Amino acid sequence: MYEGAVQDLIDELGRLPGVGPKGAQRIAFHLLQADPQDVERLSDVLLAVKEKVRYCERCFNVAESQLCRVCADQRRDQSAICVVEEPKDVVAIERTREFRGTYHVLGGAISPIDGIGPGDLRFTELMTRLASGEVTEVIIATDPNLEGEATAAYLSRFLKGMDLKVTRLASGLPVGGDLEYADEVTLGRAFEGRTLVHV
Amino acid sequence: MYEGAVQDLIDELGRLPGVGPKGAQRIAFHLLQADPQDVERLSDVLLAVKEKVRYCERCFNVAESQLCRVCADQRRDQSAICVVEEPKDVVAIERTREFRGTYHVLGGAISPIDGIGPGDLRFTELMTRLASGEVTEVIIATDPNLEGEATAAYLSRFLKGMDLKVTRLASGLPVGGDLEYADEVTLGRAFEGRTLVHV
């Protein structure tokens, strides 16, 4: 509907996840009115991200050199590996400042409906890391949904018989939430995993 | 939270209208996994839009030459001007195929709260176009909200006394909607503007 360049931009923006036709139009007109330098900067960072960013050779987190920031940090505890689905999960856990070990990013979760099997995820690479014998604990931190649970189940079978402490992040009530608004599965899990206060 | 280039991209994307921090992260990871050519194309159209796109010298719609597609089209009726707020309104009206005249894009609406007065909009340029004497009808098609109504009121005062037919787009019930879901103002307008079926 628009002339050449504007329509091209709207089309390209509309291909991004979470950006609908209205959103693409809104962003395009925002950029039309923006400072040329701002638009150039956006264009530059787009190219930079493809040039510079690769995956950490050890844990497959996003990185700008061979190792990601966590793996390159000598102070991190190499004996604990937290297994997550995506690099954004690493960021979420780092934000808590609870964990001082390293990560392993699987690159997704097992999902037969999307045709993603264990072979599409980085289990072999995890096995190689565990073979070094340095690791004593594996923390399974896949998403608490169907695919994440399937991946966690596969992983725990995969790790069985190895001389490792294997843990899974606790399920329960979200802090700051209302008990009455919790769904039954979450509330059920919170009961199941109830902790002892005193006897 | 992320390393260099990824965080830069998330920051830049987060500045776009309608893109929150989560959305920016989602788009960034989508682009990380996308084909390098796709990302290059997005980067190219961003630069192209700033290079190529300017505003029509006559109506201030977006254009790629001196005149926009509508103004350059000899078959359009030069005696009717439809006054809109933004270029996207031109596209919306063009889609209806109801109007064969030309447009005038004000570049916004009067909004004292945002510090936008009549002097910030293209009223003088409209006056110049009307001075040619060729125009016989002005259709006010500003948005049916507070700012749009204020702009329409200003415009109709501004045009008073000129030898022109001045009209405003009808307010009423949206087609395909349910009467019971219409807000009171819309329903009130629909009553006010009721049309005669037969006597």
Side-chain angles (χ1 to χ4, degrees), chain B:
Chain B
M1 287 305 284
Y2 290 93
E3 293 185 46
V6 183
Q7 190 61 52
D8 289 346
L9 179 59
I10 293 176
D11 290 346
E12 288 298 326
L13 291 170
R15 287 199 184 97
L16 300 176
V19 181
K22 290 272 167 195
Q25 184 176 288
R26 191 169 160 212
I27 296 173
F29 278 99
H30 165 86
L31 292 171
L32 263 176
Q33 275 152 23
D35 256 348
Q37 292 106 299
D38 289 349
V39 179
E40 252 170 63
R41 210 172 46 234
L42 176 57
S43 162
D44 290 345
V45 295
L46 277 166
L47 297 179
V49 94
K50 292 308 272 190
E51 266 168 40
K52 290 193 198 160
V53 178
R54 37 180 172 164
Y55 293 100
C56 174
E57 287 184 0
R58 195 185 289 164
C59 78
F60 302 95
N61 186 10
V62 287
E64 291 201 356
S65 31
Q66 282 182 301
L67 293 181
C68 73
R69 220 154 41 176
V70 174
C71 286
D73 186 346
Q74 297 294 330
R75 293 161 304 174
R76 304 293 296 225
D77 178 6
Q78 303 289 331
S79 73
I81 293 182
C82 178
V83 181
V84 296
E85 293 179 19
E86 304 284 357
K88 50 182 172 251
D89 303 324
V90 172
V91 172
I93 296 172
E94 283 295 285
R95 238 183 243 135
T96 68
R97 298 172 187 274
E98 280 286 331
F99 182 60
R100 297 299 305 159
T102 62
Y103 294 91
H104 191 84
V105 181
L106 290 174
I110 296 172
S111 172
I113 222 161
D114 300 312
I116 302 172
D120 301 307
L121 305 174
R122 300 192 190 100
F123 285 113
T124 324
E125 291 85 346
L126 176 61
M127 187 60 114
T128 313
R129 288 181 71 184
L130 297 176
S132 75
E134 217 187 333
V135 181
T136 56
E137 180 174 3
V138 171
I139 298 153
I140 306 178
T142 53
D143 286 341
N145 56 24
L146 203 67
E147 292 80 15
E149 297 288 1
T151 311
Y154 178 85
L155 190 55
S156 74
R157 273 203 310 275
F158 180 91
L159 298 172
K160 208 170 226 172
M162 293 172 105
D163 187 21
L164 282 172
K165 183 176 167 192
V166 179
T167 55
R168 173 102 176 94
L169 292 194
S171 283
L173 297 174
V175 178
D178 273 16
L179 194 138
E180 62 176 308
Y181 296 135
D183 64 286
E184 339 167 28
V185 181
T186 302
L187 199 50
R189 287 285 183 87
F191 254 98
E192 219 180 281
R194 66 191 178 276
T195 53
L196 198 63
V197 182
H198 63 80
V199 193

Side-chain angles (χ1 to χ4, degrees), chain A residues 18-78:
Chain A
V19 180
K22 290 273 167 196
Q25 184 176 288
R26 190 168 160 214
I27 295 173
F29 278 100
H30 165 85
L31 292 171
L32 262 175
Q33 276 153 23
D35 257 346
Q37 293 106 298
D38 289 349
V39 179
E40 252 170 63
R41 210 171 48 234
L42 176 57
S43 164
D44 290 345
V45 295
L46 276 166
L47 296 179
V49 94
K50 292 309 270 191
E51 266 168 40
K52 290 191 197 160
V53 178
R54 37 182 174 163
Y55 293 100
C56 174
E57 288 184 1
R58 194 185 290 163
C59 76
F60 303 95
N61 186 10
V62 286
E64 292 201 355
S65 30
Q66 281 182 300
L67 294 180
C68 74
R69 219 154 45 175
V70 175
C71 286
D73 186 346
Q74 297 293 332
R75 292 161 305 175
R76 303 292 296 225
D77 178 5
Q78 304 289 330

Side-chain angles (χ1 to χ4, degrees), chain A:
Chain A
M1 288 306 285
Y2 289 94
E3 294 185 47
V6 183
Q7 189 61 51
D8 289 348
L9 180 58
I10 294 176
D11 290 346
E12 288 299 326
L13 291 169
R15 287 199 184 96
L16 301 176
V19 180
K22 290 273 167 196
Q25 184 176 288
R26 190 168 160 214
I27 295 173
F29 278 100
H30 165 85
L31 292 171
L32 262 175
Q33 276 153 23
D35 257 346
Q37 293 106 298
D38 289 349
V39 179
E40 252 170 63
R41 210 171 48 234
L42 176 57
S43 164
D44 290 345
V45 295
L46 276 166
L47 296 179
V49 94
K50 292 309 270 191
E51 266 168 40
K52 290 191 197 160
V53 178
R54 37 182 174 163
Y55 293 100
C56 174
E57 288 184 1
R58 194 185 290 163
C59 76
F60 303 95
N61 186 10
V62 286
E64 292 201 355
S65 30
Q66 281 182 300
L67 294 180
C68 74
R69 219 154 45 175
V70 175
C71 286
D73 186 346
Q74 297 293 332
R75 292 161 305 175
R76 303 292 296 225
D77 178 5
Q78 304 289 330
S79 73
I81 294 183
C82 177
V83 181
V84 296
E85 293 179 18
E86 303 285 356
K88 51 183 171 249
D89 302 324
V90 172
V91 172
I93 295 171
E94 283 296 284
R95 238 182 243 135
T96 68
R97 297 171 188 275
E98 280 286 331
F99 182 60
R100 296 300 303 160
T102 61
Y103 294 92
H104 191 82
V105 180
L106 291 175
I110 295 173
S111 171
I113 222 162
D114 300 313
I116 303 172
D120 302 307
L121 305 174
R122 301 192 189 101
F123 285 114
T124 324
E125 291 86 347
L126 176 61
M127 187 61 114
T128 314
R129 288 181 70 183
L130 297 176
S132 76
E134 216 187 332
V135 181
T136 56
E137 180 174 4
V138 171
I139 298 151
I140 306 178
T142 53
D143 286 340
N145 55 25
L146 203 67
E147 292 80 17
E149 298 288 2
T151 311
Y154 178 86
L155 191 55
S156 73
R157 274 201 311 275
F158 180 92
L159 298 172
K160 209 170 225 173
M162 294 174 104
D163 187 21
L164 281 172
K165 182 176 166 193
V166 178
T167 55
R168 173 102 177 93
L169 292 195
S171 283
L173 297 173
V175 178
D178 273 18
L179 193 138
E180 62 175 309
Y181 296 135
D183 63 287
E184 338 167 29
V185 181
T186 302
L187 199 51
R189 288 284 183 87
F191 254 98
E192 219 180 281
R194 64 192 181 275
T195 53
L196 198 65
V197 182
H198 62 80
V199 192

